[in-house]
Amino acid sequence: MTATTGSPTPPKRAPDAGTEGSGPVGDDRLRPLLVRVAGKDRAAFAALYDLTVAQVHGIVLRVVRGGTDAEDVTRDVFEQVWHTADRYAPQVGSPLAWLSALAHRRAADRIRSRAGRPHAGIPAAAEATPPGCGHGEPLYLAYYEGMTCGQIAERLDLPVATVRARIRAGVARMRATATDVPAG
């Protein structure tokens, strides 16, 4: 249990690739656990952690690209789950989608805090993509505002397929730009 929050303390080690939580887990197992976690059931929290830590850690690791930061963020995500499980809305999405969104948002927050200024983690999507191509805004909304493709499409008045294509193209362009930059 953490001293300041009263939540159970997740293990300090990174999840192993072969743990029980490394495969997909069905909603029928996770939904009841989230309901119990909302009621502060420690056994349910431990079970939820065991079933989902590999997926959550994998998302965080891909975003922050650092082992120690990834472990810290993963712990932060599960602490947030302990405190906000009562806010999970089954009609909005699956438990794993909710956990994934929490993980992605926390990881993006860590990147921003690392840089010391807001949104410095994107190698400026606007700079990495040509002006007027439309890739920068969908990238920003997806990765820094935590919006889904459907929400971005609605906000920008675009088809969902166009938003997905622009995000993919923007990420590809950023990768190409990042590989052209000399290290040092």
Side-chain angles (χ1 to χ4, degrees):
M1 183 178 314
T2 59
T4 58
T5 64
S7 62
T9 305
K12 295 197 184 296
R13 64 175 182 77
D16 298 325
T19 59
E20 181 183 353
S22 63
V25 181
D27 291 348
D28 56 330
R29 290 178 71 188
L30 298 180
R31 275 197 178 107
L33 289 174
L34 270 174
V35 169
R36 290 175 45 208
V37 170
K40 304 302 181 210
D41 181 330
R42 291 177 190 282
F45 179 80
L48 180 73
Y49 179 88
D50 289 342
L51 290 170
T52 60
V53 66
Q55 289 94 336
V56 169
H57 187 70
I59 290 166
V60 170
L61 192 57
R62 281 189 296 276
V63 175
V64 301
R65 300 188 187 274
T68 303
D69 274 348
E71 291 172 21
D72 292 343
V73 172
T74 299
R75 261 192 308 281
D76 292 346
V77 168
F78 281 99
E79 187 169 319
Q80 183 178 3
V81 167
W82 177 256
H83 292 289
T84 63
D86 59 329
R87 295 186 204 157
Y88 166 68
Q91 66 277 14
V92 175
S94 72
L96 200 51
W98 182 69
L99 287 167
S100 297
L102 292 177
H104 192 275
R105 281 194 291 269
R106 282 284 180 156
D109 288 346
R110 178 60 59 103
I111 289 172
R112 285 193 295 270
S113 71
R114 248 196 244 153
R117 62 187 190 278
H119 315 303
I122 282 188
E127 292 173 24
T129 57
C133 73
H135 298 149
E137 191 171 13
L139 277 172
Y140 173 83
L141 294 172
Y143 289 99
Y144 288 96
E145 297 297 322
M147 295 175 73
T148 65
C149 288
Q151 292 167 330
I152 295 167
E154 187 176 306
R155 182 166 180 178
L156 300 178
D157 196 29
L158 294 169
V160 174
T162 301
V163 169
R164 286 187 182 125
R166 288 184 180 180
I167 291 171
R168 277 193 302 271
V171 168
R173 182 148 186 108
M174 286 173 34
R175 274 195 190 118
T177 302
T179 58
D180 292 341
V181 176

